[in-house]
Amino acid sequence: MLKKIIFILVGSLSFILGTVGIFLPVLPTVPFYLLTAYLWLNSSDRLYSYFTKSKYYQTYIQKMFIEKKASKSSLIKMLLMVFIVLLIPFIIFNSLHVRIILVTVFLAHLIFGYIYFNKNK
């Protein structure tokens, strides 16, 4: 019973953080939503059902990661957010090594994102 309550509370917190992450690019939406789905699946059928039918779950988990479908505008928005998040440390740190790593991470997002979303086409 205590485990169920803890899962519901932590799932609620991760749902809130994931939803805030939609509007703030520094918080990742998808990992928090996946955590929410896992915790609510193991604690409450009603909460899990509510969550999987929500607009946010359908947009950020169902379409993008299960069906591997994303519009060009959502992909551009996602890459723009990744670019902004990686640009901040790129500007702050005056280290060639850090900058090379950040550029490599961004290029990896481009390459693997292209492969991931074009795999079924």
Side-chain angles (χ1 to χ4, degrees):
M1 182 66 176
L2 181 62
K3 180 180 173 183
K4 189 175 182 177
I5 293 170
I6 291 171
F7 274 28
I8 290 171
L9 291 174
V10 175
S12 299
L13 177 64
S14 67
F15 175 72
I16 291 167
L17 290 173
T19 303
V20 170
I22 293 171
F23 307 103
L24 295 176
V26 294
L27 285 175
T29 300
V30 174
F32 284 121
Y33 275 5
L34 291 174
L35 179 61
T36 300
Y38 172 78
L39 292 169
W40 284 354
L41 173 67
N42 290 299
S43 62
S44 169
D45 291 336
R46 185 175 55 88
L47 284 173
Y48 179 74
S49 177
Y50 164 77
F51 178 62
T52 56
K53 292 176 183 172
S54 72
K55 177 180 86 168
Y56 297 130
Y57 177 87
Q58 294 295 320
T59 301
Y60 292 97
I61 304 296
Q62 183 69 33
K63 286 183 181 172
M64 289 188 81
F65 290 95
I66 296 175
E67 297 173 12
K68 297 182 181 180
K69 295 179 185 173
S71 66
K72 287 191 184 217
S73 63
S74 65
L75 289 175
I76 290 171
K77 180 183 173 187
M78 182 173 58
L79 287 174
L80 183 63
M81 293 301 167
V82 169
F83 178 75
I84 291 169
V85 168
L86 294 176
L87 183 63
I88 294 168
F90 188 89
I91 293 170
I92 292 173
F93 294 103
N94 190 18
S95 167
L96 180 63
H97 293 93
V98 170
R99 290 181 174 175
I100 290 171
I101 290 169
L102 292 169
V103 168
T104 304
V105 168
F106 183 70
L107 291 174
H109 275 83
L110 288 174
I111 293 167
F112 292 112
Y114 177 80
I115 291 169
Y116 182 81
F117 287 109
N118 289 309
K119 199 173 200 176
N120 290 341
K121 292 182 181 179

